[in-house]
Amino acid sequence: MKKLYCMSLLLLSTLIMVQANAGAGRIGNFALLDHEGNSHQLRKYGDSPAIVLISTSASCLEII
């Protein structure tokens, strides 16, 4: 499970960096799993004015 979480976090980070470098460009469709294991595809939210992605970890050792 931890490996899946790390891979998802890596994928999310890569997609965010690609989008940041693309500026106003568009990215292709992709899917992410939510906290309940349900898959969400970007194209299903095409009519939304904004999409917010939040990444959290209960096992994070850093203290803010």
Side-chain angles (χ1 to χ4, degrees):
M1 185 68 178
K2 187 172 182 174
K3 185 175 182 179
L4 176 62
Y5 173 76
C6 289
M7 292 297 288
S8 298
L9 187 57
L10 178 63
L11 175 64
L12 177 61
S13 299
T14 302
L15 291 172
I16 289 171
M17 292 181 80
V18 167
Q19 180 62 24
N21 289 333
R26 293 185 173 258
I27 60 171
N29 187 41
F30 66 93
L32 295 173
L33 299 176
D34 66 12
H35 66 286
E36 296 177 341
N38 298 319
S39 177
H40 297 273
Q41 293 183 1
L42 180 62
R43 68 178 177 186
K44 292 183 180 180
Y45 299 96
D47 295 335
S48 301
I51 298 173
V52 177
L53 302 174
I54 300 173
S55 176
T56 61
S57 173
S59 63
C60 183
L61 298 176
E62 291 187 36
I63 298 174
I64 297 174

